Amino acid sequence: MNIVVCVKQIPDPANPYSLDPETHLLIRPDEQVLDDTDRYGVEVGLQLAAQTEGTVTLVSMGPAGNMQGIRQALAMGADKAIMIDDADLKGSGALTTAKILAAAIQRSGFDLVLAGTESTDGYTGVVPQQIAELLDVPALTFAKQVSVDASTVTINQQTANGYNVVTSELPAVISVTAGVVEPRYPTFKGIMAAKSKPVENYTASDLGVSDTDPGQAIISVDEATERKAGTKIEDEGEAHLRIIEKLQELKVI
Ligand SMILES: Cc1cc2nc3c(=O)[nH]c(=O)nc-3n(C[C@H](O)[C@H](O)[C@H](O)COP(=O)(O)OP(=O)(O)OC[C@H]3O[C@@H](n4cnc5c(N)ncnc54)[C@H](O)[C@@H]3O)c2cc1C
């Protein structure tokens, strides 16, 4: 099975970040990490590839930098990567990103596409569904478990109260939730092997995508208002009454 996993490189969340004063976009250092969200997609891809004697291809759009994040995913065991780093795509929104990723996926060929439900830095949470629409295949979202056979894929789709069992024909796009599997840590052998795995580089025009106008611009950015400290209720045997009062005041009950 030909499995493609969408992975995003993001600035290390442990480090302070800053915004470009003119574009208001995040300044992306050369050294970016694999978005933790996408480690789950990579792990599901690797497990399904092992079951089906398939391959795992990573696809990523964004500033390539020193490719540390992509190498992390290759070190986990993915076979190869496709990177689209094009200065003309700077400031792209979700739809342009989906157009580029869909074109790269179409070009590489696919039976199954995996993605996270939402990235850690952008988190619009719409890219996987847009890719499915552009590829004209079903989108199965919020998967907390994934299984495949020769021609179909079945997921347990996380809901507020439990899960739905959703099945579709392949090819399809699946977004996976954190916790779907336990992502493996790269081994030393994996890290060494990742250095020589193939990485294909494309621009938007290589992929035949000309409509890259984001149709949006960030006009200004404001600090989020600080959350006020909550009310502390000490329990001296009547805390429940104070909580009921508070909920009534808020018209929750
Ligand atoms: C030069 C350049 C600069 C960029 N700068 C920024 C920036 O400052 N901030 C920013 O958030 N984005 C940036 N991007 C990337 C792109 O614009 C965003 O990825 C896009 O807006 C997707 O939004 P999201 O992360 O909210 O997607 P979501 O829908 O929240 O992501 C869900 C899943 O879709 C997949 N996915 C999403 N984006 C990508 C991607 N780029 N590559 C591979 N898989 C992906 C992942 O599996 C992810 O878990 C840049 C791109 C380029 C080419």
Side-chain angles (χ1 to χ4, degrees), residues 162-229:
Y163 63 88
N164 299 321
V165 179
V166 185
T167 299
S168 103
E169 297 289 314
L170 290 168
V173 175
I174 299 181
S175 67
V176 300
T177 60
V180 60
V181 283
E182 188 58 44
R184 70 194 67 186
Y185 285 99
T187 58
F188 180 68
K189 196 173 157 205
I191 294 168
M192 295 313 287
K195 293 181 199 282
S196 53
K197 287 188 176 171
V199 178
E200 296 168 22
N201 292 285
Y202 297 117
T203 61
S205 67
D206 292 337
L207 296 170
V209 182
S210 52
D211 177 17
T212 55
D213 179 359
Q216 62 179 41
I218 302 169
I219 308 298
S220 67
V221 176
D222 288 323
E223 295 271 342
T225 31
E226 256 182 60
R227 293 176 71 177
K228 289 189 205 135

Side-chain angles (χ1 to χ4, degrees), residues 78-142:
D79 298 280
K80 58 183 192 302
I82 299 171
M83 183 77 221
I84 306 105
D85 177 6
D86 183 338
D88 287 347
L89 294 170
K90 193 168 178 169
S92 293
L95 184 55
T96 306
T97 305
K99 283 181 191 169
I100 295 288
L101 295 177
I105 293 164
Q106 191 75 272
R107 185 182 174 125
S108 89
F110 68 102
D111 298 304
L112 184 63
V113 179
L114 293 161
T117 49
E118 60 176 27
S119 70
T120 307
D121 61 345
Y123 56 91
T124 58
V126 294
V127 169
Q129 298 75 268
Q130 290 175 331
I131 293 173
E133 178 68 20
L134 291 162
L135 293 173
D136 199 19
V137 299
L140 288 76
T141 54
F142 292 94

